[in-house]
Structures are given as structure tokens and as C-alpha cells.
Amino acid sequence: MKGSLIILSFFALGLILGVTNSLPEFLLKTDFSMYALYILMFLVGIGIGADRKSWKVIQTINVKIFLVPLGVMVGTAIGVTIVSLFLPNLTIREAMAVGAGYGYYSLSSIFITQMHGETLGVMALLSNIIREVATLLLTPLFVKYFGKLAGIMSGGATAMDTTLPIITRYSGKDYAIISLFSGIVLTILVPVIITFILHTSL
């Protein structure tokens, strides 16, 4: 949760500086978000590639474990589609793109901003932060009422890192590998699915 609050603080600071024109003109007129995206994708690749534990998990898993990230994707798609019906200014395509962040707010928000615009990018940032924070706060209830996979489903891509401790605590250590695997798969797929959605007419 601390990381999410820090991200929000930097976003708020940037927003205030942008609105008040308190930055040098070249920073206000130049779009640096694409460069940030390149660096972020590079660092994500390094992080996943260097994590030997993650690769060992992938090598030892049962085929059925793929149903977990698949369930996250299907459930998220259904959920955001329903939500979009109550938001007339948000198309199903836009809602699905936001949902396809799967909690990975930093990467998804930059991707969506570049491909669709700042408004939807901000929406992706906030909604995916809320998803992570909700998982951190509500996993005990999710596990109690919906089963041990509920926290993993809620966590989405964050199930491999920030929400893994809380998921392991309430679902049990046996679910740590499932959580890690699901998070890895979703993290890899976030840019792929968002790109596909935003380049497909729905």
C-alpha cells in the first residue's frame, strides 16, 4: 500500500506543477511519457528475466494452473463490461483496456495514455491502484467468503509481488506458487492485451 500512496503522491505533485506552470517550458511542451514507457518495459523485462525463482515455478507447474490467470482475464472482462453499461461516456473498449491493467497501474496507465489519451490513462492509473489497495485490505474477506483463490484473482498482476504476502498469509503457503505464476503471466500479458484492445473496434 505504501508504494501505491507514493505513486499517487508523485501523480498529484506532477498534476499541481503542470496546472500551475511551475516547471521549465521544455518539460511542459515535451512528451516524455513514451521514453518513460521504453525504460519501464526494459526494467520489467530485466526483472522477470533475472528472477530465477519465477522461471523455476513456470517449469514445475501443472497445466491446470493456467486456468487461474485465464479466470482473472475473463472475470475482469465481464466485470468492466458490466460497469461500462452504467457509464455512458465510457465505451466497452475503453473499459476493457482499463481493466486489462490487472492492477499493474504504472505500465497500463502509460500504455493507455500513449495509445488513447491522458483521461483514460488517469482512469487506468486510479482504478488499478484501487484494485491493488482493495486486495491488500480485503483479501481476508475475499478468502473467507469466496475461497482461497479469491485473493489471487483480485490481485491480478500484483499477485506476484506487492499483494503476494497478504495472499500467502490468508490463502496459505501452498497458494504462493499459484499466486506468483498468475501474476507473472498477467504482467507479461498486460501490454499485449491493452494494445490488442485499443487497436480493435468493439
Side-chain angles (χ1 to χ4, degrees):
M1 186 182 298
K2 180 180 178 181
S4 299
L5 293 176
I6 292 174
I7 291 290
L8 276 176
S9 298
F10 273 101
F11 170 74
L13 177 61
L15 187 63
I16 293 170
L17 292 175
V19 170
T20 58
N21 292 319
S22 301
L23 294 170
E25 189 173 348
F26 79 93
L27 286 177
L28 296 173
K29 290 188 175 181
T30 305
D31 184 7
F32 289 100
S33 58
M34 180 58 73
Y35 299 108
L37 176 60
Y38 294 152
I39 295 172
L40 184 58
M41 288 299 294
F42 177 67
L43 294 175
V44 168
I46 291 177
I48 294 175
D51 191 345
R52 306 303 178 190
K53 183 179 178 182
S54 299
W55 289 110
K56 289 180 180 178
V57 169
I58 293 175
Q59 292 170 3
T60 58
I61 49 91
N62 187 291
V63 176
K64 290 182 179 180
I65 202 172
F66 282 96
L67 294 175
V68 178
L70 178 61
V72 175
M73 290 186 285
V74 172
T76 299
I78 293 173
V80 297
T81 298
I82 294 173
V83 169
S84 70
L85 299 177
F86 299 94
L87 300 174
N89 294 325
L90 189 69
T91 66
I92 294 178
R93 180 171 65 93
E94 292 170 337
M96 290 186 70
V98 171
Y102 304 124
Y104 198 166
Y105 50 79
S106 55
L107 182 61
S108 63
S109 61
I110 294 176
F111 253 89
I112 291 174
T113 297
Q114 285 296 321
M115 295 182 183
H116 195 279
E118 294 179 356
T119 300
L120 196 66
V122 171
M123 190 179 298
L125 174 68
L126 296 177
S127 63
N128 282 288
I129 286 178
I130 290 171
R131 180 171 186 161
E132 179 184 306
V133 173
T135 302
L136 291 169
L137 295 176
L138 301 177
T139 288
L141 294 177
F142 290 157
V143 172
K144 181 178 180 180
Y145 292 105
F146 302 106
K148 293 188 176 182
L149 287 174
I152 299 174
M153 296 290 190
S154 173
T158 69
M160 68 174 284
D161 44 48
T162 54
T163 60
L164 179 59
I166 193 74
I167 290 170
T168 303
R169 179 178 177 184
Y170 289 96
S171 294
K173 293 181 180 180
D174 294 343
Y175 285 80
I177 291 179
I178 299 175
S179 181
L180 182 62
F181 175 77
S182 179
I184 291 171
V185 171
L186 292 170
T187 296
I188 293 172
L189 291 179
V190 164
V192 177
I193 295 177
I194 289 177
T195 301
F196 174 76
I197 291 172
L198 291 179
H199 285 85
T200 302
S201 297
L202 295 175

